């Protein structure tokens, strides 16, 4: 899949509105429309990549994760902690096929027991 008809590419282009919380030359971050935590931010590369499975640029992936950590730190979540999620393909629960990092914070997260 290319970036055509990709909702996140439309958000990058400004054709779909979003509440941006960060942007640089490589990535943008904005509030998730359907937050699963008090803070739920999506961080995406400006360059369309379908999923983590299709990612091949280690530097871009590293930059994306470091940007997520930096946003979390600036928002004061580093001490208590936060959760980073990259849902990948269908069993991973990926619904938007433009690589994205979920930054979830503001409440504790625990894996279900068992
Ligand atoms: P996924 O399930 O693919 O890991 O995550 C996709 C996320 O994108 C979901 O959490 C969903 O709420 C969010 N989302 C889908 N469409 C839009 C949109 O148009 N605007 C924003 N801000 N978030 C969206
Ligand atoms: Zn896209």
């Amino acid at each position: 899949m290319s970036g055509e008809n990709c909702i996140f590419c439309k958000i990058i282009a400004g054709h779909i509105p979003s509440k941006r919380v960060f942007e640089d030359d490589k990535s943008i971050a904005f509030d998730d429309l359907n937050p699963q935590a008090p803070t739920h931010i999506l961080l995406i590369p400006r360059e369309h990549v379908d999923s983590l499975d299709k990612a091949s640029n280690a530097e871009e992936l590293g930059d994306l994760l470091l940007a997520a950590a930096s946003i979390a730190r600036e928002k004061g979540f580093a001490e208590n902690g936060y959760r980073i999620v990259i849902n990948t393909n269908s069993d991973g629960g990926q619904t938007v096929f433009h690589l994205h990092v979920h930054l979830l914070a503001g409440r504790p997260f625990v894996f279900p027991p068992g």
Side-chain angles (χ1 to χ4, degrees):
M1 187 192 175
S2 74
E4 278 174 57
N5 292 322
C6 166
I7 53 174
F8 286 177
C9 283
K10 288 179 182 162
I11 283 175
I12 291 165
H15 298 152
I16 293 177
S18 69
K19 186 159 175 275
R20 290 192 191 198
V21 297
F22 166 87
E23 62 184 301
D24 65 12
D25 56 331
K26 292 178 193 140
S27 61
I28 75 163
F30 52 92
D31 286 338
D32 196 293
L33 201 58
N34 181 24
Q36 305 298 310
T39 294
H40 187 168
I41 291 167
L42 299 172
L43 179 66
I44 67 177
R46 287 184 185 272
E47 189 183 335
H48 181 96
V49 178
D50 283 0
S51 72
L52 180 62
D53 179 57
K54 295 281 163 50
S56 57
N57 188 323
E59 193 178 334
E60 277 180 20
L61 269 182
D63 285 344
L64 206 60
L65 283 179
L66 288 174
S70 170
I71 293 166
R73 204 176 306 115
E74 277 172 22
K75 291 191 168 289
F77 295 122
E79 190 176 341
N80 280 349
Y82 52 89
R83 177 168 282 190
I84 294 292
V85 174
I86 305 177
N87 296 326
T88 304
N89 290 345
S90 122
D91 277 2
Q94 185 173 4
T95 58
V96 177
F97 284 81
H98 180 129
L99 172 64
H100 52 280
V101 172
H102 294 258
L103 165 59
L104 298 140
R107 68 169 171 87
F109 296 92
V110 288
F111 283 107

